[in-house]
């Protein structure tokens, strides 16, 4: 799964990277501990143009009566996303890109303590997760929400976890966004071996209140 990630990409860089028009309500500043229900950056295709916008990380199906009406859906499994009632329309019609600098995963030691790892691109480039999104509205409250698509880990990632986000290369973005026709399902696989690297970080990141660049420093 993917339960926390890091975002330190400047707005201007994302606008250029994705050739997207930015919204006015984007999250400000670096976030070294992006948590579920936070606002995140996402790129979607609408009205013939890419748009960089803000979304709540935590997908809300249209039948939820309130944001806490059911399970917090931060991830969607690639193997079942086309079948699950919550996700099947979104994966056909509402796919997005979710940029990140890196993400966290956890292992456990012999005493059961959770040990965090920071994962990022070996080449230092931004990561772009495959996402799906959903507009939710109830009693005057409106939210644009998203989930990250995950898949079985490749050999590299399986050393620390059995799942990983679907990470899209730039040449795959048009297909995922629906700009290049059909066939997005073929992209929902683990990335190539060697494209990611990871290191242990301090357990301070276990708290969702933790902030600051020291969270990704190796220990």
């Amino acid at each position: 799964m993917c339960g926390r990630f890091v975002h330190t990409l400047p707005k201007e860089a994302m606008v250029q990277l994705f050739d997207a028009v930015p919204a006015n309500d984007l999250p400000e500043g670096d976030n070294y501990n992006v948590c579920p229900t936070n606002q995140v950056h996402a790129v979607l295709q609408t009205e013939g143009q890419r748009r960089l916008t803000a979304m709540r990380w935590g997908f809300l199906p249209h039948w939820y009566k309130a944001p806490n009406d059911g399970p917090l859906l931060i991830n969607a499994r690639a193997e079942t996303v086309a079948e699950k009632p919550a996700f099947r329309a979104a994966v056909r019609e509402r796919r997005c890109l979710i940029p990140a600098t890196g993400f966290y995963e956890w292992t456990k030691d012999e005493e059961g303590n959770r040990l965090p790892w920071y994962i990022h691109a070996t080449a230092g480039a931004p990561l772009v997760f495959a996402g799906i999104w959903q507009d939710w509205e109830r009693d005057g409250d409106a939210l644009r929400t998203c989930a990250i698509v995950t898949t079985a880990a490749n050999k590299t990632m399986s050393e620390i976890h059995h799942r990983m986000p679907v990470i899209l290369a730039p040449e795959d973005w048009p297909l995922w966004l629906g700009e290049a026709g059909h066939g997005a399902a073929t992209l929902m696989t683990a990335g190539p071996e060697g494209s990611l690297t990871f290191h242990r970080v301090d357990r301070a990141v276990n708290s969702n209140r933790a902030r600051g660049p020291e969270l990704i420093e190796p220990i």
Side-chain angles (χ1 to χ4, degrees):
M1 64 175 294
C2 178
R4 304 272 188 88
F5 66 92
V6 174
H7 188 282
T8 63
L9 309 173
K11 181 179 75 172
E12 294 77 13
M14 288 187 287
V15 167
Q16 184 174 2
L17 179 65
F18 297 110
D19 189 21
V21 176
N24 295 324
D25 61 346
L26 295 171
E28 294 288 341
D30 296 343
N31 191 341
Y32 289 86
N33 196 6
V34 181
C35 301
T37 74
N38 286 174
Q39 290 290 107
V40 301
H41 299 80
V43 177
L44 55 84
Q45 170 65 240
T46 180
E47 298 177 353
Q49 193 165 39
R50 290 182 183 178
R51 297 190 180 274
L52 176 65
T53 188
M55 298 188 186
R56 173 193 186 266
W57 185 23
F59 190 97
L60 295 179
H62 65 84
W63 61 81
Y64 275 27
K65 296 179 181 179
N68 59 355
D69 192 37
L72 184 59
L73 305 175
I74 61 171
N75 295 154
R77 294 174 65 93
E79 298 87 345
T80 58
V81 66
E83 304 164 6
K84 295 289 186 180
F87 301 136
R88 60 192 179 196
V91 78
R92 290 195 306 268
E93 304 164 7
R94 295 184 299 279
R95 298 186 297 271
C96 63
L97 309 174
I98 301 175
T101 308
F103 63 101
Y104 298 103
E105 201 50 82
W106 281 261
T107 56
K108 289 186 178 181
D109 64 16
E110 295 178 354
E111 288 76 39
N113 298 307
R114 298 178 73 234
L115 308 178
W117 300 76
Y118 177 59
I119 302 103
H120 58 95
T122 303
L127 302 178
V128 177
F129 302 146
I132 55 175
W133 63 276
Q134 170 78 47
D135 281 335
W136 178 89
E137 186 172 0
R138 188 64 58 106
D139 299 329
D141 292 329
L143 293 170
R144 178 157 285 181
T145 70
C146 65
I148 295 170
V149 180
T150 67
T151 189
N154 59 23
K155 183 177 179 181
T156 304
M157 271 297 299
S158 65
E159 295 180 31
I160 54 175
H161 202 273
H162 66 285
R163 305 288 298 176
M164 64 180 290
V166 172
I167 299 171
L168 301 173
E171 60 267 24
D172 298 329
W173 300 347
L175 186 57
W176 187 255
L177 290 175
E179 301 166 347
H182 302 290
T186 62
L187 303 177
M188 293 191 286
T189 61
E193 299 293 342
S195 61
L196 297 176
T197 188
F198 49 83
H199 58 259
R200 271 288 317 282
V201 293
D202 194 272
R203 289 165 59 185
V205 76
N206 292 0
S207 168
N208 59 14
R209 296 189 180 93
R211 295 290 183 271
E214 68 277 1
L215 296 179
I216 65 172
E217 292 298 319
I219 62 168

